[in-house]
Amino acid sequence: MPLPRVIGHRGAAALAPENTLAAFRRAAVAGARWVEFDVRCTADGVPVVFHDATLGRTTDGRGRLDRTPLAALRRLDAGAWFGPEYAGEPVPTLEEALGLLAALGLGANIEVKADGDADAAATAQASVAAARRVWPADAPAPLLSSYSPAALAAAAAAAPAWPRGLVRRRLSRDDLAAVQELGCRSLHLDHRRLNGVQVGAVRAAGLVPVAWTVNDADRAGRLWRWGVAAVITDDPGRMAAAAGEFIETERRGQ
Ligand code: MG
């Protein structure tokens, strides 16, 4: 799985309103090669790029996203809360987002969010269907990640060849067995609860360790030294500079 050392979190959440097309453009300008973003389904079953279960934090709407049809969601402003220059930025559909990422040449880590197993499976299936419509066949397949084993099992059935990653706040023994059972390639862990021994255990199990959400360059350097493959960061420009320094230091050390 050709992951770069740096993946933009929700696009580039420190630089532009998270999970918007503006955030993906900023991530590309900042030098990111991949971005992570969250996907949920609207009331009418359309996968859209959105983090929370409810609309209040990142839009001018209220209530639950999964009770809001796409047409109503599209009237909301998902940018003004971040800054006036982003006023009018809509919640993107997954298809729109993937179309832009393909045009920008960015890789995609689609994190499937859901409430409950049925929703998780349906959201994973809808995400794969959307990606099949717009994602170029010659681009690296999207990485589908989720906290939900049900989402990952559905992704495995819908797109067996696409890589999958389990997201966890803290590594447990059960997780290593679970990821093998689900055929996951990567394990996405909260860096604050991660140490070098655990990173070694993940790698020894044949899995790719990914750490979130890393915004400190020194911490990123330590994670890479431990063997973390990629850090997910709100500020991909700053972390890309740190990755360059890390590679240079490693080269000099040899
Ligand atoms: Mg996420």
Side-chain angles (χ1 to χ4, degrees):
M1 189 162 55
L3 287 183
R5 285 187 190 277
V6 175
I7 298 175
H9 185 229
R10 304 180 194 171
L15 308 176
E18 65 181 56
N19 288 331
T20 63
L21 299 184
F24 299 145
R25 292 193 190 97
R26 277 306 302 267
V29 168
R33 291 167 46 214
W34 276 61
V35 288
E36 180 267 3
F37 52 92
D38 308 288
V39 169
R40 290 180 177 274
C41 276
T42 60
D44 40 349
V46 180
V48 295
V49 180
F50 204 81
H51 181 273
D52 296 358
T54 54
L55 300 170
R57 182 177 63 86
T58 58
T59 76
D60 56 353
R62 295 177 62 182
R64 294 184 59 88
L65 177 110
D66 63 4
R67 302 220 181 109
T68 308
L70 181 66
L73 186 71
R74 294 291 281 183
R75 289 195 286 272
L76 302 181
D77 184 319
W81 69 274
F82 188 88
E85 66 273 34
Y86 295 105
E89 192 70 32
V91 174
T93 64
L94 176 58
E95 270 194 48
E96 279 177 327
L98 290 173
L100 175 64
L101 296 179
L104 293 171
L106 294 181
N109 173 196
I110 302 172
E111 182 181 351
V112 175
K113 297 277 192 194
D115 296 307
D117 286 354
D119 184 26
T123 302
Q125 286 158 0
S127 297
V128 168
R132 285 203 191 284
R133 284 193 288 274
V134 295
W135 196 248
D138 59 348
L143 166 59
L144 292 156
S145 64
S146 187
Y147 282 102
S148 162
L152 295 168
W162 293 8
R164 295 175 297 283
L166 182 68
V167 185
R168 282 290 176 262
R169 292 198 166 81
R170 183 191 295 274
L171 180 68
S172 77
R173 282 277 153 214
D174 295 349
D175 293 333
L176 292 177
V179 288
Q180 308 283 8
E181 199 169 304
L182 290 162
C184 290
R185 300 232 201 120
S186 55
L187 196 48
H188 302 217
L189 296 160
D190 184 344
H191 82 93
R192 294 168 299 182
R193 300 190 179 92
L194 192 57
N195 62 44
V197 173
Q198 292 170 323
V199 173
V202 172
R203 290 175 62 102
L207 298 163
V208 174
V210 175
W212 52 270
T213 302
V214 185
N215 293 322
D216 180 89
D218 291 340
R219 180 64 177 168
R222 186 167 303 125
L223 292 161
W224 289 321
R225 263 199 312 283
W226 288 343
V228 164
V231 299
I232 297 178
T233 179
D234 294 323
D235 190 345
R238 193 148 55 87
M239 266 334 113
E245 286 167 26
F246 172 77
I247 290 163
E248 181 62 19
T249 304
E250 293 284 287
R251 194 186 60 75
R252 279 201 306 267
Q254 278 168 5

